Amino acid sequence: MTKNTPPVLRVEDVSVKFVRRTGTRKFFGIGEKEIFTAVNRVSFDVPAGKTVGLVGESGCGKSTLGRAILRLQSIDSGKIFCGDEEISRFPGARMPLPLRRKIQMIFQNPYASLNPRQTVFNILSEPLEIHFPKMTVRERADEVVALLEQVGLNADHRLRYPHEFSGGQRQRIAIARALAVKPELIVCDEPVSALDVSVQAQIVALLKKIQAATGVAYLFVAHDLAVVEDLSDFVLVMRRGEIVERGTPQEVYGSPKADYTKMLLAAVPRV
Ligand SMILES: Nc1ncnc2c1ncn2[C@@H]1O[C@H](COP(=O)(O)OP(=O)(O)O)[C@@H](O)[C@H]1O
Ligand SMILES: [Mg+2]
């Protein structure tokens, strides 16, 4: 990789605002409105093959930012780049397929993010059909098995439905689906928050192994600093829509500057 390789993701001064209706006065259907800034002038890069941890309390705007990167949420100002391409100029549904392939997302709740009526085979072969239409049926079938093995499942699992799996296994299926299209970045939105602690460690270890094997980059979102510490090359701390601290894990955990980071660190159970 040369020095001039652009980051896989560049978020430049991005804001997302929501209009909220407040109060109870509603004369002729007109309520009071307030503008709520869920993401406030956020900038950061994710270099190719690296992991950036994004940490902050529930409601601080992490998922809104993740959805904006995926173009599932429009932005009010700023720019988002994937490599050299400015993706923020595309409304979500209009993002060209080759660009959409590059950034995938996995969600906190693998129960909700997998279609309960599809077999694992269909869940994994659908993105292959969409993004690699030249693949033969046979190649696709082989690829589904390879994906299952990559996430620690096996060929027999392909004929089952999501409800037949545990939470951790379901998250493995969601990871396989994200990997199917060979993304450059996966936005992992609290992928382990809903799992038991022992399973959390397994999924984190799996994500690391996959990164070592494929070079995929992660934006790893968590509400708890402990989760991202040994996973991240760089850490962002978010509060009320703003990045209040950024640095390497050594900097952020070793000598935090923001009072907010110190408070979050004080809440982390240390062993
Ligand atoms: N579609 C929406 N309309 C209005 N407010 C929203 C919408 N989506 C999120 N919010 C608000 O934006 C804030 C940030 O939410 P979110 O990004 O989900 O936070 P986090 O993922 O950090 O818990 C919250 O106050 C939430 O209520
Ligand atoms: Mg969230």
Side-chain angles (χ1 to χ4, degrees):
M1 200 189 310
T2 69
K3 242 187 167 175
N4 298 322
T5 307
V8 60
L9 177 72
R10 167 159 287 171
V11 173
E12 229 175 67
D13 213 17
V14 164
S15 295
V16 178
K17 297 175 182 178
F18 294 117
V19 177
R20 280 185 173 171
R21 289 182 193 286
T22 59
T24 48
R25 291 197 311 134
K26 282 204 180 71
F27 298 112
F28 306 106
I30 303 166
E32 289 177 30
K33 288 181 185 173
E34 82 177 356
I35 304 287
F36 171 74
T37 306
V39 176
N40 195 1
R41 306 198 60 178
V42 166
S43 300
F44 65 91
D45 288 351
V46 181
K50 301 287 185 186
T51 299
V52 172
L54 173 67
V55 185
E57 285 171 314
S58 180
C60 73
K62 305 179 300 292
S63 293
T64 303
L65 178 58
R67 292 169 53 80
I69 292 163
L70 267 288
R71 313 302 304 127
L72 301 169
Q73 165 69 55
S74 60
I75 62 177
D76 292 274
S77 59
K79 290 179 176 175
I80 303 173
F81 296 86
C82 178
D84 293 323
E85 288 273 1
E86 188 196 335
I87 56 175
S88 45
R89 66 199 173 94
F90 302 110
R94 297 268 180 78
M95 190 137 106
L97 264 186
L99 273 177
R100 211 178 308 165
R101 183 184 67 74
K102 291 187 181 183
I103 307 182
Q104 297 293 311
M105 190 161 180
I106 56 179
F107 298 90
Q108 176 171 348
N109 187 342
Y111 296 71
S113 64
L114 300 174
N115 184 340
R117 287 179 203 84
Q118 284 189 317
T119 60
V120 168
F121 180 83
N122 287 331
I123 289 169
L124 298 181
S125 63
E126 196 173 78
L128 296 173
E129 276 177 62
I130 293 170
H131 288 272
F132 307 118
K134 288 184 188 147
M135 257 188 182
T136 64
V137 172
R138 181 61 201 259
E139 284 167 342
R140 212 157 49 225
D142 289 346
E143 183 63 18
V144 166
V145 173
L147 285 163
L148 286 170
E149 286 170 353
Q150 193 173 15
V151 298
L153 298 171
N154 63 58
D156 293 342
H157 288 122
R158 72 193 190 289
L159 301 174
R160 299 197 199 160
Y161 290 87
H163 73 265
E164 299 175 65
F165 294 89
S166 68
Q169 286 176 319
R170 259 178 260 202
Q171 201 55 290
R172 288 174 191 268
I173 297 165
I175 293 167
R177 182 179 57 181
L179 286 174
V181 301
K182 310 252 180 286
E184 294 177 8
L185 172 72
I186 302 179
V187 175
C188 307
D189 189 0
E190 305 212 36
V192 300
S193 300
L195 304 175
D196 293 344
V197 174
S198 61
V199 182
Q200 287 188 6
Q202 291 167 15
I203 297 294
V204 167
L206 174 67
L207 288 168
K208 278 191 190 173
K209 194 181 103 188
I210 288 168
Q211 185 171 62
T214 65
V216 69
Y218 299 127
L219 176 62
F220 193 102
V221 176
H223 61 255
D224 168 349
L225 271 168
V227 173
V228 299
E229 181 167 7
D230 67 86
L231 196 76
S232 302
D233 298 292
F234 200 80
V235 177
L236 307 167
V237 180
M238 191 172 189
R239 185 190 193 198
R240 294 184 186 157
E242 294 179 36
I243 305 298
V244 296
E245 176 125 20
R246 62 178 71 222
T248 62
Q250 292 88 326
E251 289 165 345
V252 170
Y253 294 81
S255 47
K257 293 192 281 288
D259 287 340
Y260 182 67
T261 313
K262 292 175 191 163
M263 193 200 81
L264 284 183
L265 281 170
V268 173
R270 294 260 159 184
V271 285

